[in-house]
Amino acid sequence: MFSNLRRAVRRGYRRAVDLSHPARSPLGSAVVNCLVYREGIRQEDCAEVEEALRRVRKTGDGFVWIGLHEPSQAELAGLAELFGLHPLAVEDAVNAHQRPKVERYDDTLFAVFKTVRYVEHEELTATSEVVETGELMAFVGGDFVITIRHGGRGTLGPVRESLEAQPEQLAKGPAAVLHAIADHVVDDYVAVTDAVQNDMDAVETAVFSEHGARGDAGRIYQLKRELLELRRAVAPLGRPLQHLATEPIPVIPAEARAYFRDVCDHLLRATEQINAYDGLLDSVLQAHLAQVTVAQNEDMRKITAWAAIVAVPTMVCGVYGMNFDNMPELHWTYGYPIVVAVMAAACFVIHRGFRRNGWL
């Protein structure tokens, strides 16, 4: 049942399919899909939402799926009145940047998901964008599903296509759609966390390379910032999915809860992987800072060693530069070469001693 649905969604969710209906509803230009499903079969397209809902409620069978993209308050007001949506949920749906959650308003569920996408880049820099996020919201009732997308990503075309290819699953109603959306979103989380592994390996390799102490710490901080963005999308969704998997909800049949638990397991994997990445980045950053400190200490040792070597001829030259009349060896024929030889020998001995101790 739902297991076949989950596998079907995973096979198809990465294909760039856009099944948006070309018509626009009189309720607003934000409506890009208005479709009726009966017994898992897509019926003829409806240009008007009122007509689609009338058909469903007249027969008492099937449901209507409406897709919107970044609706305004005025555009969503008509749908809110038609479907009896709660004003607080409508306000959250219009205003993006919501925390992932699932809220129940009477017999209607309002779910908020953060969509993520891995941004391909040739090399990680201090300004590279690694994770791009968007928002996907869904109102789920007994005979309707309203999906609202914010941002340029997170299209549900592949999910819709996979569901339509499995009419026996789509016949389960709005709960099957909500499960497919959640599974699609969480699968993207897993895919992005796997892709971030390449950046983690690159940073770790660079830090522990021969010239790791000279590396750019900005890349590590940038990856931590992008990882934090990913965590903000993934971590808060755990409790809402657990609620769907365990709590009795009218629009979620009891047999569907096990499959929401399966989605929870995949979300837990992504969350644990992100936490592991964050801990590893902390260790890598500490290792980088330690390498910088060691490199600075080595530089200071070299500077100190050369200063000690230069101090010997400086001292001798300073003594003979005091311009006293009565000083030994001033008028001796071999005084100058002997003094130079002594300075050279002293510098050689000191240099050799520092070399043996690893200072040079």
Side-chain angles (χ1 to χ4, degrees):
M1 193 166 69
F2 276 81
S3 59
N4 294 331
L5 169 62
R6 177 169 54 82
R7 287 194 293 268
V9 170
R10 283 188 180 144
R11 285 196 298 269
Y13 87 104
R14 290 199 173 276
R15 288 180 288 176
V17 180
D18 189 2
L19 300 178
S20 299
H21 192 276
R24 293 296 182 265
S25 169
L27 291 174
S29 60
V31 179
V32 295
N33 296 103
C34 180
L35 304 173
V36 174
Y37 294 91
R38 186 173 291 112
E39 296 182 355
I41 304 299
R42 176 175 172 174
Q43 306 299 303
E44 65 276 9
D45 298 337
C46 298
E48 296 185 2
V49 177
E50 298 96 326
E51 176 63 20
L53 184 61
R54 186 190 64 81
R55 293 180 186 178
V56 169
R57 291 184 174 175
K58 181 179 179 180
T59 61
D61 184 26
F63 66 95
V64 58
W65 185 350
I66 303 170
L68 301 94
H69 180 252
E70 297 183 353
S72 65
Q73 183 74 36
E75 290 171 330
L76 195 56
L79 288 176
E81 182 179 358
L82 184 63
F83 290 94
L85 306 180
H86 197 280
L88 292 177
V90 172
E91 182 180 355
D92 289 344
V94 173
N95 301 320
H97 311 295
Q98 299 295 322
R99 182 181 176 88
K101 61 183 179 179
V102 173
E103 295 181 341
R104 178 181 173 183
Y105 297 95
D106 296 328
D107 292 334
T108 301
L109 284 181
F110 175 61
V112 178
F113 302 97
K114 285 282 189 180
T115 58
V116 299
R117 183 184 72 91
Y118 181 77
V119 180
E120 297 290 345
H121 48 272
E122 294 183 0
E123 182 181 0
L124 180 67
T125 65
T127 59
S128 295
E129 184 182 14
V130 178
V131 178
E132 180 183 355
T133 61
E135 287 190 39
L136 182 61
M137 305 174 182
F139 289 94
V140 181
D143 55 6
F144 68 89
V145 176
I146 302 174
T147 55
I148 302 171
R149 182 164 55 90
H150 289 273
R153 300 289 173 180
T155 177
L156 293 177
V159 177
R160 189 190 303 276
E161 185 183 54
S162 298
L163 283 169
E164 292 178 352
Q166 298 285 329
E168 69 280 3
Q169 311 302 333
L170 193 54
K172 304 301 179 182
V177 177
L178 182 60
H179 169 264
I181 293 173
D183 197 41
H184 169 74
V185 170
V186 172
D187 278 345
D188 277 343
Y189 293 164
V190 175
V192 170
T193 53
D194 290 341
V196 171
Q197 178 69 51
N198 296 328
D199 295 310
M200 295 289 301
D201 294 340
V203 168
E204 188 176 9
T205 301
V207 167
F208 292 102
S209 64
E210 183 178 356
H211 304 288
R214 307 299 180 184
D216 185 10
R219 298 198 307 161
I220 304 176
Y221 281 110
Q222 177 64 16
L223 189 55
K224 281 186 69 66
R225 284 194 295 266
E226 294 295 307
L227 203 62
L228 178 61
E229 184 73 14
L230 181 59
R231 174 184 282 177
R232 287 173 179 171
V234 176
L237 192 58
R239 181 170 294 179
L241 283 182
Q242 189 69 25
H243 178 72
L244 292 176
T246 57
E247 299 295 329
I249 302 174
V251 296
I252 306 295
E255 62 270 16
R257 296 175 195 165
Y259 300 96
F260 280 104
R261 286 198 296 269
D262 181 70
V263 178
C264 286
D265 291 340
H266 291 99
L267 181 69
L268 180 61
R269 173 199 165 188
T271 303
E272 291 177 346
Q273 198 167 356
I274 293 171
N275 292 336
Y277 288 164
D278 189 61
L280 180 60
L281 275 180
D282 288 337
S283 300
V284 169
L285 181 60
Q286 292 299 322
H288 173 71
L289 295 178
Q291 287 180 327
V292 170
T293 302
V294 171
Q296 291 176 343
N297 290 338
E298 290 180 352
D299 292 340
M300 290 303 300
R301 288 166 58 181
K302 291 179 181 179
I303 293 173
T304 303
W306 284 112
I309 293 173
V310 174
V312 174
T314 301
M315 180 189 65
V316 176
C317 293
V319 170
Y320 281 92
M322 290 188 294
N323 298 323
F324 287 107
D325 290 334
N326 297 318
M327 291 185 67
E329 293 88 30
L330 284 179
H331 303 288
W332 186 29
T333 303
Y334 302 103
Y336 174 75
I338 290 178
V339 169
V340 172
V342 169
M343 289 190 297
C347 290
F348 173 77
V349 172
I350 296 175
H351 182 272
R352 186 176 181 182
F354 282 133
R355 291 276 292 184
R356 286 182 176 179
N357 293 331
W359 282 46
L360 290 175

